[in-house]
Amino acid sequence: ETGVTQSPTHLIKTRGQQVTLRCSSQSGHNTVSWYQQALGQGPQFIFQYYREEENGRGNFPPRFSGLQFPNYSSELNVNALELDDSALYLCASRHHGSDYGYTFGSGTRLTVV
Amino acid sequence: KQEVTQIPAALSVPEGENLVLNCSFTDSAIYNLQWFRQDPGKGLTSLLLIQSSQREQTSGRLNASLDKSSGRSTLYIAASQPGDSATYLCAVLPEWGTASKLTFGTGTRLQVTL
């Protein structure tokens, strides 16, 4: 199953800057989640959007925010970047109520220097 | 709080060997369990999805089982090949009515040698 596209693939930012990561979900997928994966760890849930509203959030500070748009695209915004924000950011989508699992994008590798 | 553990953390086997990867979870109130493959620096590729009412799923050389009551799942890979080398992650989705976030294990890093 294909259809989740993330951009950019790689990004280098300076501490204190702001970044926006983008995700284009598969058509019909009304639920999108974002995950952060540090090196050697499993992905950690950041937040989830359903029909353009946030309906779940993990243990991440408010400087991590997001948006979901009617065209099945979404954004992850991170303000005041810290060195520990360096990670692989993954977008995943599914159709709420379906028996199919999540489809993940290929991720954005963010490096904060 | 759901916790997912994967054992072993790393595994090296010769080509052709059959192998089993283990996944355990602490809260049995799950909707489904999903196995993923991740190549270095890449995203996640879904391998198998098992609904909570199912016992196993098969795809090619892969077979995943689920014992919800004991909080365990296994991924069986038959006749391993060098191309199977990757990190394998399991993730559980809670039952409806709660935040539908996936909780992941830390993965098993598999290397299949020639």
Side-chain angles (χ1 to χ4, degrees):
Chain A
E1 190 176 82
T2 60
V4 180
T5 305
Q6 291 188 243
S7 62
T9 55
H10 297 85
L11 199 54
I12 299 175
K13 288 286 190 178
T14 303
R15 188 172 52 183
Q17 285 188 315
Q18 178 268 342
V19 68
T20 297
L21 309 182
R22 293 182 172 81
C23 173
S24 178
S25 300
Q26 191 165 327
S27 180
H29 282 196
N30 52 20
T31 300
V32 64
S33 302
W34 285 87
Y35 291 80
Q36 180 195 67
Q37 186 179 24
L39 204 60
Q41 301 296 315
Q44 297 294 314
F45 176 73
I46 302 175
F47 48 57
Q48 178 173 279
Y49 280 79
Y50 171 63
R51 291 186 175 180
E52 303 163 47
E53 291 195 6
E54 184 181 300
N55 72 341
R57 189 175 185 90
N59 189 26
F60 281 81
R63 60 189 184 85
F64 285 78
S65 64
L67 287 170
Q68 184 186 25
F69 303 101
N71 64 352
Y72 305 110
S73 66
S74 62
E75 292 180 352
L76 164 64
N77 299 288
V78 187
N79 294 321
L81 283 166
E82 301 177 359
L83 297 179
D84 285 349
D85 296 334
S86 296
L88 180 68
Y89 289 84
L90 297 163
C91 168
S93 69
R94 69 190 291 255
H95 185 274
H96 181 80
S98 78
D99 285 339
Y100 294 101
Y102 279 91
T103 300
F104 277 77
S106 55
T108 293
R109 170 69 63 185
L110 173 66
T111 302
V112 182
V113 297
Chain B
K1 176 188 173 186
Q2 178 74 271
E3 293 184 0
V4 180
T5 304
Q6 291 187 247
I7 295 173
L11 183 63
S12 181
V13 300
E15 181 180 13
E17 191 162 299
N18 302 325
L19 59 102
V20 174
L21 307 182
N22 296 292
C23 171
S24 61
F25 47 95
T26 55
D27 186 349
S28 62
I30 65 169
Y31 184 69
N32 61 41
L33 182 146
Q34 206 166 349
W35 282 94
F36 295 91
R37 168 187 171 135
Q38 185 173 35
D39 293 298
K42 303 297 184 182
L44 305 182
T45 300
S46 181
L47 298 174
L48 288 166
L49 171 73
I50 310 178
Q51 301 296 341
S52 61
S53 58
Q54 297 175 323
R55 297 287 291 183
E56 65 179 301
Q57 282 287 334
T58 299
S59 176
R61 295 183 293 109
L62 305 180
N63 175 277
S65 68
L66 175 64
D67 185 342
K68 184 179 168 183
S69 61
S70 69
R72 293 180 182 179
S73 176
T74 62
L75 179 66
Y76 175 83
I77 302 176
S80 58
Q81 302 170 358
D84 295 331
S85 299
T87 296
Y88 291 80
L89 294 155
C90 70
V92 295
L93 189 69
E95 290 178 338
W96 294 115
T98 59
S100 55
K101 65 169 187 174
L102 288 169
T103 301
F104 284 85
T106 53
T108 293
R109 189 172 68 254
L110 172 66
Q111 183 175 11
V112 181
T113 58
L114 292 170

